[in-house]
Amino acid sequence: MTDTPMTLPRAERSALDRLRAWWGGETANPVKRVQFDRPLTPWLFLLPQLAVVVIFFYWPSVQAVTSSFYLEDPFGFGATFVGMENYTDALSGSGYLSTAAFTAFFCVVVTALALGLGLLLAVKADEVIRGADTYKTLLISVYAIAPPVAGLIGMMFFDMHMGPMKDLAAFVGYDLKVGINYWDTATALIVIAVWKQIPYNFIFFLSGLQSVPVSVREAALIDAQSGWRRFKDITLPLLAPTAFFLLVINITYAMFDTFPIIDVIVKDKPANNPMTLVYKVYLDGFKGNDIGGSSAQSVILMIVVALLTVLQFRFLERRVHYG
């Protein structure tokens, strides 16, 4: 007869023993032991990222929701609760509605052009043999330019006094007035925003095209003589996951990341220039000192983006086939 250590059931162990077992990382099945000796170790590794998310995302979001219900003094000397008045003022104002309409138009046009041109250039780059590396490097290099710098370069091209786009428009008999004429300014914003985003789409589309198996391409050459039919029936469905990812990214870019470009183009210009909802939040909050109103606008924008993302994944992702 040998003495064997007796192990009490987990329910009969004391609270102190259970705490020691949890701290020591003991599990019911030793084969499934975790890699870390202490259960808090992985949380310590995650702590910096969690702190960044809480401090820079969740806490400002809570502050924005709270401020949207108050009429606040811009210098922080007091606040008056006004309920939903900031929301009703924003949604009933003609200026806000016109800005929302331009934002929708701007997002659709920028996304469509950036995706279409990026895909076109990727298809052509995938076919280039001589000088392919130089061709791809020139297309990708634009992505290294920061958005404010891209806006400044675009402003130089569309400058009313020395810009080459001004001379080009004058050559065809049109007087281009960026910063004064509403649709001239909108055209400049769209051109610069599309130019800045094309390299990003080009990189992903080119990677997707190069991942198409050679056997599939050879089978497509046998089944379809038309290049357009091969692209529409074979290549494009295989690029659907990449295209869906880029669709979400490009809509987000058009709504938010174009802020520096818009700021460079329309800053210190007449007040009738187009702008997006994000830039209007900045103007009302930091220039107009309407903290409550700008907070309400940011909450509305956050809800719209969340609903748009849900709709994209709900209705568009089902058409995407992975693998």
Side-chain angles (χ1 to χ4, degrees):
M1 182 175 181
T2 58
D3 295 335
T4 57
M6 297 181 63
T7 303
L8 294 176
R10 187 177 181 85
E12 298 180 8
R13 297 167 68 181
S14 66
L16 182 60
D17 291 337
R18 291 198 299 270
L19 181 61
R20 288 175 178 172
W22 174 79
W23 178 257
E26 296 181 10
T27 59
N29 188 354
V31 179
K32 297 182 178 179
R33 286 182 67 90
V34 295
Q35 288 183 323
F36 299 99
D37 295 332
R38 297 290 184 269
L40 291 181
T41 303
W43 291 100
L44 292 177
F45 285 109
L46 290 175
L47 186 60
Q49 182 62 33
L50 293 175
V52 170
V53 171
V54 171
I55 294 174
F56 293 99
F57 291 94
Y58 290 127
W59 183 71
S61 299
V62 173
Q63 287 293 106
V65 173
T66 304
S67 299
S68 65
F69 296 105
Y70 288 87
L71 182 63
E72 297 189 11
D73 185 275
F75 300 101
F77 292 116
T80 304
F81 181 78
V82 294
M84 301 294 294
E85 184 176 336
N86 289 324
Y87 291 94
T88 56
D89 290 344
L91 294 175
S92 61
S94 60
Y96 184 82
L97 295 179
S98 62
T99 303
F102 175 77
T103 303
F105 169 79
F106 181 78
C107 290
V108 171
V109 175
V110 169
T111 301
L113 290 178
L115 286 176
L117 293 175
L119 178 59
L120 176 62
L121 293 174
V123 171
K124 295 302 179 182
D126 192 41
E127 298 174 354
V128 171
I129 298 177
R130 181 177 299 177
D133 293 337
T134 303
Y135 177 74
K136 296 171 186 177
T137 302
L138 291 174
L139 288 173
I140 296 173
S141 60
V142 180
Y143 187 66
I145 301 175
V149 179
L152 181 60
I153 295 174
M155 191 64 227
M156 294 172 62
F157 271 89
F158 285 94
D159 187 81
M160 292 179 57
H161 303 287
M162 61 179 184
M165 300 303 294
K166 169 76 173 179
D167 298 335
L168 180 62
F171 179 76
V172 297
Y174 182 77
D175 187 13
L176 187 67
K177 297 180 179 179
V178 175
I180 298 178
N181 183 275
Y182 184 93
W183 288 109
D184 289 352
T185 307
T187 302
L189 293 176
I190 292 172
V191 170
I192 299 170
V194 171
W195 170 69
K196 177 67 179 69
Q197 187 65 6
I198 284 177
Y200 185 88
N201 300 331
F202 170 80
I203 294 171
F204 279 90
F205 277 132
L206 183 61
S207 300
L209 288 171
Q210 293 179 344
S211 65
V212 176
V214 178
S215 59
V216 174
R217 298 193 182 197
E218 292 176 349
L221 285 172
I222 297 173
D223 293 338
Q225 301 252 339
S226 172
W228 166 248
R229 185 181 173 189
R230 290 196 302 269
F231 175 78
K232 180 176 68 72
D233 296 337
I234 305 297
T235 306
L236 195 57
L238 292 175
L239 288 176
T242 303
F244 177 74
F245 165 77
L246 290 177
L247 176 64
V248 177
I249 295 298
N250 278 259
I251 292 176
T252 305
Y253 161 79
M255 294 190 70
F256 297 99
D257 293 345
T258 54
F259 174 90
I261 297 175
I262 298 173
D263 184 52
V264 171
I265 299 298
V266 307
K267 183 170 61 177
D268 301 328
K269 300 293 190 306
N272 61 341
N273 280 314
M275 67 183 71
T276 59
L277 290 175
V278 173
Y279 196 71
K280 181 171 173 50
V281 170
Y282 163 74
L283 286 182
D284 291 348
F286 291 90
K287 296 293 184 67
N289 293 325
D290 185 9
I291 306 300
S294 63
S295 298
Q297 294 177 32
S298 65
V299 173
I300 295 172
L301 184 60
M302 181 173 58
I303 294 173
V304 170
V305 172
L307 291 176
L308 186 60
T309 304
V310 170
L311 290 175
Q312 287 176 338
F313 280 90
R314 178 68 176 83
F315 296 103
L316 294 180
E317 193 183 24
R318 64 175 59 182
R319 300 178 179 270
V320 178
H321 301 282
Y322 298 92

